[in-house]
Amino acid sequence: MSRLAEALSGVHDLYRNGCSWEVAVETIRARFGHYSWVHAISNACLIMVGLLWGNGDYAATVGSVVQGGWDTDSNAATAGSVVGTVLGTAKLPSHFIEPLHDRTRSVIFGFDHSSIAELARRTTAIAQRAG
């Protein structure tokens, strides 16, 4: 078993055993705090904590990942994209969606101000062709 798989299994054990979010984060910090703040293992554990303890609540998931610390912007984006995909657009809180006006900013030539909905459709089409 890889180090990442072992770490994530440990987080899942904490969740199954009824540990609080606080205990889970403290445990992760004690076990993986020696890694860089951008290390994949420690940050993957915080993302998993957000997904499990967030219990399908978008704001709680993203918020708990940010509160966990370390690579907060990347972790929140990852957890938010996972829970957002699971919930679907219709179940996302409007105060997270409406300010974007269905647009994203990008430094990639030709993609600045792209429609988020169109990017989602294109991504889905690619995934369906590959699968």
Side-chain angles (χ1 to χ4, degrees):
M1 182 182 290
S2 71
R3 290 182 298 147
L4 178 59
E6 287 178 6
L8 295 176
S9 180
V11 172
H12 192 241
D13 288 343
L14 293 170
Y15 182 75
R16 280 196 330 252
N17 291 327
C19 288
S20 67
W21 175 89
E22 292 83 2
V23 168
V25 171
E26 288 173 17
T27 302
I28 291 166
R29 289 192 164 283
R31 185 164 178 207
F32 304 111
H34 63 283
Y35 288 138
S36 163
W37 64 275
V38 294
H39 196 281
I41 291 177
S42 51
N43 284 292
C45 288
L46 289 177
I47 291 165
M48 188 168 181
V49 166
L51 292 169
L52 291 173
W53 276 262
N55 200 31
D57 180 304
Y58 185 85
T61 298
V62 173
S64 69
V65 170
V66 170
Q67 290 176 26
W70 289 327
D71 196 0
T72 58
D73 57 338
S74 297
N75 292 346
T78 301
S81 65
V82 170
V83 76
T85 299
V86 170
L87 293 175
T89 306
K91 292 184 180 174
L92 294 177
S94 62
H95 64 277
F96 284 106
I97 297 171
E98 290 172 5
L100 300 176
H101 304 290
D102 190 36
R103 296 285 170 216
T104 186
R105 298 302 315 260
S106 177
V107 296
I108 299 173
F109 180 76
F111 288 93
D112 194 23
H113 295 288
S114 295
S115 162
I116 296 169
E118 179 58 25
L119 292 172
R121 279 191 287 280
R122 290 174 62 188
T123 302
T124 301
I126 290 169
Q128 289 172 336
R129 283 194 305 268

